[in-house]
Amino acid sequence: MLPMDHVIALSAILFTIGVLGVATRRNLIVILMSIELMLNAVNLAFVGFNRIWSQVDGVAAIDGQIFVLMVIAVAAAEVAVGLGILLAMFRNRDSVNVEEVNLLKW
Amino acid sequence: MIPAPDLNLSVLLPIILVAIGSMTILMGEVLLSRADTVLGREVTESFIGTVLAGTAIFFFALTLWASGVAFAGGGVQVFNPDNPMYQLDPFSSFVTAVLALSALLSCALSITYLSELRINHGEYYALIMLSASGMMLMVAAVDLIAVFLGLELMSIPIYVLAGFDRRKLRSNESALKYFLIGSFASAILLYGMALLYGVSGGTSFEALRAGFDADNPMALVGLGLVVVGFAFKISMVPFHQWTPDVYEGAPSAVTAYMSVTVKVAAFATLIRLLAMAFGPLEASLETIFWVLSALTIVVGNIMAIIQENVKRMLAYSSIAHAGYLMIGLVTGTIEGYSAMIFYLIAYTFMNLGAFGVVVALANRGNDCERIASFAGLARTRPGLAAVMALFMLSLAGIPGTAGFMGKFKIFMAAVNSGDIWLLIIGVLMSVVSVYYYLRIPVLMYMREPEDESHRTEIASGEGAVLVVCALAVLALGLFPNRVPTLLFGDLDVLDWANRSVGMFFGG
């Protein structure tokens, strides 16, 4: 069986990739995907930790798994709203480049 | 067979009322827009808007009543005793009442404004109610799952509201920035929650408190990420850059709503999280809060000086106020927390009032945003100029107003817990803030009118909100512990604030 440390490390790596994606990419769709990647890294961490704790206690601890279901549901709602905002923006300016979003500053 | 849990539905009453209200509004709009006449009145767009806003106000008033009754009853009630996630106690019922009141005032403020901007859609009120129900869930949550759900239920409708004027590029941009920053912040918050779960093996505050180990780096990183996630929501420096952009681009009525309620809900949740899950602050975290609080006060006030747009100026001022509020978090005493709650109430009325004046001046799709356009307002709109001057004095913290009393309480708490330097920074920066706040009264009273594009008459809803806010600012500033009212006798707001946080200290 896979050691749990590896699962947690993978989730940390995925999360970092997501953060870097949000910070460096200029295409809004890619930024949205990076945020999804961060959320999925969180899900992986929850499942991994849940696995560890259920082995420690010997009882069915399922808090982490329930949290994952909540995160998945909320992420779906968030993406729906995010794409809606993106679409409204695209209709007004024909671009999804984040650098052109610059009317408001200082 | 699984035994049915012993659920106590009446505990959820405040949230259920708001949720039912939002569904009623969504259905009501569909039914109303298909009818030609209702009770002999022709159905026009503004009629629909007024009816739906009235529904929202009605349900918020019910929520206010329900949470007020729960607060008066005292005691702690949980929804599911086997696995408490949501808890109606003096703290959550009091904050819920404050949230319901400010949401009610925002709805009354929006009716005419939405017609002026030609974005009079019923979803507006439904979204306000949904986000309010999220805030109420968040402040009453005693489990990370419920905190997260409440936070998202609060944020997602507000992303939409910020972009509600969808034909305007600035509104689009505001929504987009808020959405990107907000969802990035919630992902960070979630990772922190995952680490805390990994350390303690449970998501309830009780389990966190039992399992939190300050020597474990994972616990500290988790706590740090959770604090950063909330720092974005309360626009703590250095996580504040989105605030001015979002506040400026969003429709003014939405800015009024979100600048007030989001701050109240996020600060209340932070108080509960720190008091219930992490005990008195760890020394290291206290230092971090100390530095961030000082930074937030300084940056907010300095940046507000150079603004030419009144909404941006108020955005930076709200950052500065977040800094003052954080002093209460640094102290970690019952006095500091109760001062925070009192300050949040004062801030609610004065900030809602200041944005309310901006809303009341908006004309035919144009927000009255330039500070220069306030010149000579005392001559053209004497009433509005008078209340605007009052709100500016209160935000600056001039004695006799609610803002002064709030700052006084916060600074007293800082003195009593020995944070003298934080007090000195706070007082010095309050002096700086007088400069930019008083610019507006000076322009209004000592310059000739130049910009004639304001609206020339005030709607009844806006007028009522401004009068309520102005009276509350004066009453809380003059008699904080016996606000005289005609209907309910004298109200002791300071005592309520004390009682609401007293539960964290065994009171």
Side-chain angles (χ1 to χ4, degrees):
Chain A
M1 205 194 81
L2 210 60
M4 274 305 126
D5 288 358
H6 293 198
V7 176
I8 307 301
L10 176 63
S11 108
I13 291 169
L14 283 180
F15 190 78
T16 316
I17 294 175
V19 172
L20 288 178
V22 173
T24 58
R25 299 305 291 265
R26 301 275 66 108
N27 185 317
L28 283 167
I29 307 271
V30 180
I31 294 180
L32 217 60
M33 285 158 62
S34 304
I35 291 175
E36 285 303 299
L37 192 61
M38 289 166 74
L39 291 178
N40 282 323
V42 170
N43 288 345
L44 195 58
F46 267 118
V47 174
F49 283 131
N50 191 86
R51 177 84 189 163
I52 295 176
W53 281 99
S54 61
Q55 283 167 348
V56 167
D57 285 342
V59 290
I62 53 165
D63 282 2
Q65 292 178 16
I66 291 173
F67 213 134
V68 169
L69 289 179
M70 298 290 177
V71 174
I72 291 172
V74 167
E78 211 168 53
V79 164
V81 165
L83 287 176
I85 291 172
L86 211 92
L87 208 61
M89 176 108 189
F90 184 71
R91 281 201 183 139
N92 282 336
R93 49 163 113 223
D94 275 335
S95 158
V96 289
N97 188 329
V98 78
E99 271 171 1
E100 289 168 31
V101 184
N102 55 7
L103 281 178
L104 305 164
K105 58 175 107 160
W106 288 105
Chain B
M1 202 187 110
I2 306 169
D6 180 22
L7 300 182
N8 185 358
L9 264 180
S10 67
V11 176
L12 287 178
L13 192 62
I15 292 185
I16 290 179
L17 281 172
V18 178
I20 290 178
S22 71
M23 300 303 143
T24 313
I25 288 171
L26 282 178
M27 292 307 294
E29 198 203 4
V30 174
L31 296 178
L32 276 178
S33 57
R34 288 176 180 212
D36 291 330
T37 55
V38 173
L39 299 174
R41 295 196 58 170
E42 196 187 344
V43 174
T44 58
E45 202 172 87
S46 68
F47 174 74
I48 296 178
T50 314
V51 169
L52 296 180
T55 316
I57 290 171
F58 171 72
F59 276 99
F60 277 127
L62 280 183
T63 314
L64 186 61
W65 167 78
S67 49
V69 168
F71 181 69
V76 176
Q77 296 169 284
V78 291
F79 174 54
N80 178 0
D82 296 337
N83 184 15
M85 281 206 173
Y86 174 90
Q87 167 171 316
L88 198 62
D89 49 32
F91 183 72
S92 53
S93 50
F94 187 57
V95 177
T96 302
V98 174
L99 288 171
L101 181 63
S102 43
L104 187 157
L105 292 174
S106 321
C107 286
L109 197 60
S110 312
I111 306 171
T112 312
Y113 179 78
L114 293 181
S115 311
E116 286 286 334
L117 260 67
R118 296 187 199 84
I119 46 172
N120 202 350
H121 311 297
E123 307 92 89
Y124 180 88
Y125 302 103
L127 287 166
I128 288 223
M129 300 204 85
L130 280 176
S131 71
S133 70
M135 294 170 194
M136 291 166 186
L137 174 62
M138 185 167 81
V139 298
V142 287
D143 191 293
L144 290 182
I145 298 180
V147 170
F148 167 67
L149 278 182
L151 184 92
E152 291 296 318
L153 186 51
M154 165 182 95
S155 306
I156 294 178
I158 295 186
Y159 302 149
V160 183
L161 282 173
F164 204 73
D165 198 355
R166 66 187 157 84
R167 281 177 238 94
K168 281 215 186 84
L169 276 176
R170 291 151 78 83
S171 189
N172 286 164
E173 187 171 326
S174 160
L176 187 73
K177 281 186 175 163
Y178 196 31
F179 169 76
L180 286 179
I181 299 284
S183 47
F184 182 66
S186 13
I188 290 180
L189 179 89
L190 267 179
Y191 203 73
M193 288 179 171
L195 293 182
L196 288 175
Y197 171 67
V199 173
S200 59
T203 51
S204 71
F205 286 6
E206 225 170 291
L208 286 182
R209 180 160 208 157
F212 189 76
D213 171 15
D215 294 329
N216 186 339
M218 200 159 83
L220 289 180
V221 173
L223 177 59
L225 291 179
V226 168
V227 169
V228 168
F230 275 104
F232 273 108
K233 290 286 164 210
I234 59 178
S235 50
M236 188 191 286
V237 174
F239 311 104
H240 68 288
Q241 279 97 343
W242 60 272
T243 316
D245 293 359
V246 172
Y247 281 18
E248 184 189 343
S252 301
V254 175
T255 314
Y257 172 71
M258 74 184 195
S259 70
V260 168
T261 46
V262 171
K263 212 150 263 184
V264 173
F267 265 112
T269 313
L270 260 183
I271 291 180
R272 183 189 284 278
L273 202 62
L274 293 174
M276 286 180 78
F278 303 117
L281 275 184
E282 295 298 326
S284 54
L285 196 57
E286 196 184 321
T287 320
I288 293 171
F289 270 134
W290 196 104
V291 174
L292 290 181
S293 164
L295 258 180
T296 310
I297 295 174
V298 173
V299 172
N301 279 315
I302 300 283
M303 291 299 293
I305 293 176
I306 58 168
Q307 301 306 324
E308 288 303 324
N309 178 310
V310 70
K311 279 160 86 182
R312 281 189 96 76
M313 190 273 271
L314 285 172
Y316 278 109
S317 116
S318 85
I319 295 173
H321 285 283
Y324 298 131
L325 281 158
M326 281 177 62
I327 297 179
L329 284 183
V330 175
T331 65
T333 56
I334 181 168
E335 196 191 359
Y337 288 158
S338 112
M340 280 175 76
I341 297 292
F342 184 81
Y343 198 109
L344 282 170
I345 297 170
Y347 173 80
T348 298
F349 287 118
M350 57 199 189
N351 219 38
L352 208 54
F355 277 113
V357 173
V358 179
V359 166
L361 288 172
N363 192 17
R364 285 193 299 279
N366 290 315
D367 270 346
C368 160
E369 287 186 355
R370 284 183 313 120
I371 289 182
S373 71
F374 279 83
L377 202 65
R379 199 151 309 167
T380 50
R381 310 288 308 276
L384 272 182
V387 289
M388 187 63 172
L390 174 69
F391 296 134
M392 288 297 130
L393 292 179
S394 178
L395 284 166
I398 305 292
T401 57
F404 169 75
M405 206 39 93
K407 269 191 189 136
F408 178 71
K409 287 269 151 206
I410 288 262
F411 290 155
M412 273 305 282
V415 170
N416 288 342
S417 69
D419 290 308
I420 301 294
W421 278 103
L422 211 46
L423 164 82
I424 293 174
I425 295 172
V427 172
L428 281 180
M429 282 297 143
S430 299
V431 176
V432 171
S433 76
V434 172
Y435 171 76
Y436 62 83
Y437 285 129
L438 287 196
R439 233 171 101 196
I440 291 183
V442 166
L443 277 173
M444 288 191 303
Y445 283 92
M446 301 180 188
R447 294 280 187 286
E448 291 299 314
E450 51 178 43
D451 187 349
E452 299 292 345
S453 66
H454 315 130
R455 193 134 46 95
T456 47
E457 77 291 337
I458 189 163
S460 51
E462 292 160 352
V465 172
L466 291 179
V467 167
V468 167
C469 289
L471 287 179
V473 163
L474 279 176
L476 288 175
L478 295 172
F479 331 96
N481 46 9
R482 51 178 185 87
V483 178
T485 55
L486 290 176
L487 278 177
F488 311 106
D490 289 356
L491 309 178
D492 191 345
V493 178
L494 273 179
D495 177 55
W496 290 347
N498 271 325
R499 260 172 58 202
S500 66
V501 294
M503 54 164 289
F504 298 129
F505 298 87

